[in-house]
Amino acid sequence: MPGGRLTHQDRRHIAEGLAQGLTFTEIAARLERPISTVTREVGRNGGPEGYRADHAHEATRGRARRGRPAQAQAPAEPGTADEVRAVEERFAEIMAGTGLPRMTARVLACLYVTDSGSLTAAELVERLQVSPASVSKAVGELEQQELIRRERDPRRRRDRYVIDADAWFRGWLASARQNAALADFARQGALTLGSATQAGARLEDIGRFFEHVGAAMLQAAQQWREDHAAGRDSVGQGLTRPGRPGPG
């Protein structure tokens, strides 16, 4: 059923599609599923060359049963204002080094080091001592990459920009979707130009590369989310069940 969990039969259709040389987009269309579902499924179960329906089905069932206990850690003391500022500046430098514009990196870092993880545009202007236009452009870029989200504050009648636990997960998936779109474009371009031509062969190689990278990104993100959720569940059980010893 579209939107539900993949069945054993769905996985067999995926394996058949891969064997026929279909793209993830074509396989997803056959199953009436999002392309991200197919790329994630294949990426976490051996990739296009190693995907096996039976093995993937059993592996998924095993992951659903598996949990991982979290290790208890002593809470650290909060840093001083100067230490927090130093962390913010270093974070912004690192993010700028990844390709984010400098102001966009500063806004992202500022949100991350704020305990609430939430600030209005006016608060960002005040904290960063920059113009409203600079903040507006930066938050627009961060929203486009799904690294922050916008919330309406009904009491103050203004928007707040929020960092939440899934911010990097969403941003990572957005990047993976871009890779999948580029892979599909390159494959179609190769067909148009002809795989026997140098240009067509070049585009076909690009398509294979970004299809592989996109699938690996989805696999890594999904595995992190499962492990992270399992860790939080373990901590919650240890805290809420009287008489049960905690981790460690």
Side-chain angles (χ1 to χ4, degrees), residues 64-225:
R65 293 191 297 264
R66 187 175 66 242
R68 187 182 69 179
Q71 296 180 350
Q73 295 182 350
E77 292 295 324
T80 65
D82 287 342
E83 290 171 336
V84 171
R85 192 177 302 109
V87 170
E88 180 178 338
E89 291 176 355
R90 181 57 180 152
F91 189 8
E93 289 176 3
I94 292 173
M95 295 310 301
T98 68
L100 277 184
R102 175 66 180 169
M103 181 52 61
T104 306
R106 289 188 66 196
V107 169
L108 183 65
C110 186
L111 284 166
Y112 261 100
V113 302
T114 304
D115 277 344
S116 65
S118 170
L119 293 169
T120 65
E123 289 169 338
L124 285 165
V125 167
E126 182 179 357
R127 289 171 66 97
L128 297 173
Q129 293 296 293
V130 296
S131 69
S134 297
V135 168
S136 178
K137 181 178 180 181
V139 295
E141 292 172 343
L142 291 170
E143 284 186 290
Q144 184 177 14
Q145 297 183 45
E146 300 188 40
L147 292 175
I148 65 173
R149 58 183 172 83
R150 185 191 303 243
E151 284 185 354
R152 188 68 174 172
D153 187 341
R155 295 173 300 175
R156 304 175 66 180
R157 296 184 180 179
R158 62 180 63 182
D159 291 332
R160 301 189 69 84
Y161 300 99
V162 181
I163 291 286
D164 58 28
D166 282 338
W168 284 109
F169 181 81
R170 291 195 308 272
W172 189 264
L173 290 186
S175 180
R177 288 194 295 270
Q178 291 173 351
N179 283 335
L182 182 53
D184 284 342
F185 164 78
R187 288 282 182 86
Q188 292 300 320
L191 290 175
T192 301
L193 298 177
S195 59
T197 67
Q198 291 186 2
R202 191 179 301 120
L203 282 180
E204 189 170 359
D205 284 343
I206 291 173
R208 289 173 179 171
F209 172 78
F210 279 103
E211 187 172 62
H212 175 80
V213 169
M217 289 176 67
L218 289 169
Q219 178 184 13
Q222 187 63 28
Q223 188 63 58
W224 175 87
R225 194 169 203 180

